[in-house]
Amino acid sequence: MKERFSKLLLGEDMSGSGKGVCTAVTISNAITNLYATIFGQNQKLEPLSPEKKSMWKREMNCLLAVCDYMVEFFPSLQTLPNGTSVEVMASRPRSDIHINLPALQKLDTMLQEILDSFKETEFWYAEQGKLVSATRAGSFRLITQRPDEKWWLPVPCIPRGGLSEKARKDMKHTRDCANQIHKAAMSINSSLLAEMKIPDSYIAALPKSGRAGLGDAIYRFMNSSDKFSPDHLLDYLHISSEHEALELADRVEASMYTWRRKACVAHSKSSWDTVKQLISETERTDKNYVLAERAESLLFCLKQRYPELSQTSLDTCKIQYNKDVGQAILESYSRVLESLAFSIVAWIEDVLHEDRNMRCKERSVVENMQNRMSKLDI
């Protein structure tokens, strides 16, 4: 605890020369690093070890303890002993922390319970390329790597005949629960990032025109159609990898803010929310306004289609330059929970995929035997 407290005070600059990062970034990094330490090597559906579970709870409680002292002031009436009412400033917990922190702690507990539910399972794991038992005590078979897998991930093994109906039903229910947790954490994280101030360095690096940032092909698609469809545009682009999707997200987001700036300049440099209020439905013919709205819908659709997408350049920049400790804690906490929930969903999908393959093989074997028996009868 002394070491952790010292690192937080020094801003991760162990020389003590004052060149460390701000407190917000230090705590954000601490939560991210703690998550990597506890869950980084966890690549299968199994409960956390008691040591790791205790470490996660203990250290997160320490990092979150600072939220207990974050308050906001509001005017309140206080009655004096002589009956006179005076207005004083009272304090209460910060609204964003009061709302989001209990919700995140609840999601954290639910994810731990999901992992604990896999203590006794009908499936097990094996390293790829090794001989393993086809049952926990039976003949052996070679585990081979599926084309869509990463080579270092363990392969789930299913008993002959597949999972029982109850186990399969429970797995699907657990997957749906984890998916809802993932959506909730992602929603909280997105709202927190949206509230963070855009750094001046990002604004200064924006392209001079949205068209230059997106490219002529995408710009013509967004500018020419009266009824813009982000789904049709994404289908037309044929994005083949996460890297391409992230690169497109960065370009779309940069162009969106370029058009927003131009729309704000055209309306006396008002904020974007003010501009949207000023322009009525019948007057929303400003080209920059329309393009910014379409870019926002395209970015939203892109993130929905690729939920595993890494953070955009703007998100990374916001986290790096953010100085609000409360926002830093909530953002990093929601981000790591989002990552854990997504991993759990993916692990369950792997097990269900293997279960489908096993049942298909069993049906194929039965059909072949029936065909042979029918030929013998003839």
Side-chain angles (χ1 to χ4, degrees), residues 114-222:
I114 287 177
L115 290 177
D116 289 340
S117 68
F118 291 102
K119 186 175 183 179
E120 296 181 1
T121 62
E122 295 182 6
F123 61 90
W124 64 102
Y125 287 90
E127 298 299 325
Q128 298 188 34
K130 292 185 177 181
L131 284 171
V132 298
S133 172
T135 63
R136 282 196 166 109
S139 60
F140 288 85
R141 64 189 177 94
L142 180 66
I143 295 297
T144 57
Q145 179 179 346
R146 294 201 303 266
D148 60 337
E149 276 190 327
K150 296 180 180 179
W151 63 268
W152 61 85
L153 293 179
V155 179
C157 300
I158 306 297
R160 285 175 177 168
L163 299 173
S164 65
E165 190 63 31
K166 181 181 182 303
R168 190 178 305 115
K169 183 178 179 180
D170 290 343
M171 288 285 288
K172 291 180 179 179
H173 175 71
T174 304
R175 176 197 59 189
D176 294 340
C177 291
N179 193 39
Q180 291 301 315
I181 295 173
H182 174 258
K183 289 180 179 179
M186 185 168 60
S187 176
I188 294 174
N189 185 262
S190 298
S191 64
L192 291 167
L193 286 170
E195 292 173 2
M196 288 185 182
K197 180 184 176 182
I198 301 176
D200 294 336
S201 59
Y202 182 85
I203 297 295
L206 287 175
K208 293 184 179 180
S209 69
R211 180 171 187 169
L214 278 179
D216 291 337
I218 299 178
Y219 176 81
R220 283 196 298 268
F221 194 100
M222 295 180 64

Side-chain angles (χ1 to χ4, degrees), residues 81-356:
N82 60 4
T84 306
S85 295
V86 294
E87 190 175 80
V88 297
M89 296 301 291
S91 64
R92 61 189 175 194
R94 263 178 53 168
S95 57
D96 57 342
I97 294 176
H98 180 68
I99 294 172
N100 291 314
L101 185 56
L104 291 173
Q105 290 174 318
K106 178 62 176 177
L107 296 180
D108 189 354
T109 302
M110 293 171 68
L111 289 174
Q112 299 294 332
E113 291 174 350
I114 287 177
L115 290 177
D116 289 340
S117 68
F118 291 102
K119 186 175 183 179
E120 296 181 1
T121 62
E122 295 182 6
F123 61 90
W124 64 102
Y125 287 90
E127 298 299 325
Q128 298 188 34
K130 292 185 177 181
L131 284 171
V132 298
S133 172
T135 63
R136 282 196 166 109
S139 60
F140 288 85
R141 64 189 177 94
L142 180 66
I143 295 297
T144 57
Q145 179 179 346
R146 294 201 303 266
D148 60 337
E149 276 190 327
K150 296 180 180 179
W151 63 268
W152 61 85
L153 293 179
V155 179
C157 300
I158 306 297
R160 285 175 177 168
L163 299 173
S164 65
E165 190 63 31
K166 181 181 182 303
R168 190 178 305 115
K169 183 178 179 180
D170 290 343
M171 288 285 288
K172 291 180 179 179
H173 175 71
T174 304
R175 176 197 59 189
D176 294 340
C177 291
N179 193 39
Q180 291 301 315
I181 295 173
H182 174 258
K183 289 180 179 179
M186 185 168 60
S187 176
I188 294 174
N189 185 262
S190 298
S191 64
L192 291 167
L193 286 170
E195 292 173 2
M196 288 185 182
K197 180 184 176 182
I198 301 176
D200 294 336
S201 59
Y202 182 85
I203 297 295
L206 287 175
K208 293 184 179 180
S209 69
R211 180 171 187 169
L214 278 179
D216 291 337
I218 299 178
Y219 176 81
R220 283 196 298 268
F221 194 100
M222 295 180 64
N223 191 38
S224 59
S225 177
D226 292 334
K227 293 183 178 180
F228 172 68
S229 172
D231 285 310
H232 289 166
L233 177 54
L234 292 178
D235 292 338
Y236 164 77
L237 293 175
H238 298 294
I239 300 172
S240 59
S241 66
E242 181 183 343
H243 175 74
E244 289 184 12
L246 183 59
E247 183 183 14
L248 177 61
D250 284 336
R251 289 159 54 198
V252 170
E253 198 164 43
S255 298
M256 177 181 71
Y257 281 101
T258 298
W259 287 320
R260 283 186 177 183
R261 287 186 68 195
K262 290 183 177 181
C264 290
V265 169
H267 292 81
S268 303
K269 297 184 179 181
S270 303
S271 68
W272 178 245
D273 290 334
T274 305
V275 170
K276 288 196 287 187
Q277 293 173 2
L278 289 174
I279 305 178
S280 65
E281 292 291 339
T282 57
E283 295 174 342
R284 287 180 179 177
T285 55
D286 182 273
K287 183 178 179 181
N288 292 311
Y289 177 88
V290 173
L291 288 172
E293 291 287 281
R294 290 181 175 181
E296 185 176 14
S297 65
L298 176 59
L299 184 63
F300 177 80
C301 185
L302 184 64
K303 291 182 177 180
Q304 289 291 316
R305 186 172 292 198
Y306 301 94
E308 74 282 5
L309 201 64
S310 303
Q311 289 178 323
T312 63
S313 298
L314 176 58
D315 293 341
T316 304
C317 196
K318 282 183 174 182
I319 295 171
Q320 180 183 356
Y321 289 95
N322 173 52
K323 295 184 178 181
D324 188 307
V325 176
Q327 286 183 338
I329 292 175
L330 295 175
E331 189 283 325
S332 55
Y333 195 11
S334 61
R335 172 160 39 87
V336 298
L337 293 181
E338 178 187 339
S339 177
L340 178 58
F342 180 82
S343 296
I344 291 175
V345 172
W347 297 334
I348 295 176
E349 288 288 359
D350 285 344
V351 174
L352 294 175
H353 175 80
E354 289 297 320
D355 177 56
R356 287 191 295 269

Side-chain angles (χ1 to χ4, degrees), residues 5-37:
F5 184 66
S6 300
K7 286 182 178 179
L8 291 176
L9 287 179
L10 293 170
E12 300 177 351
D13 175 24
M14 306 313 291
S15 69
S17 59
K19 298 179 181 179
V21 296
C22 67
T23 306
V25 176
T26 305
I27 294 184
S28 177
N29 291 343
I31 294 175
T32 304
N33 294 336
L34 177 61
Y35 171 78
T37 301

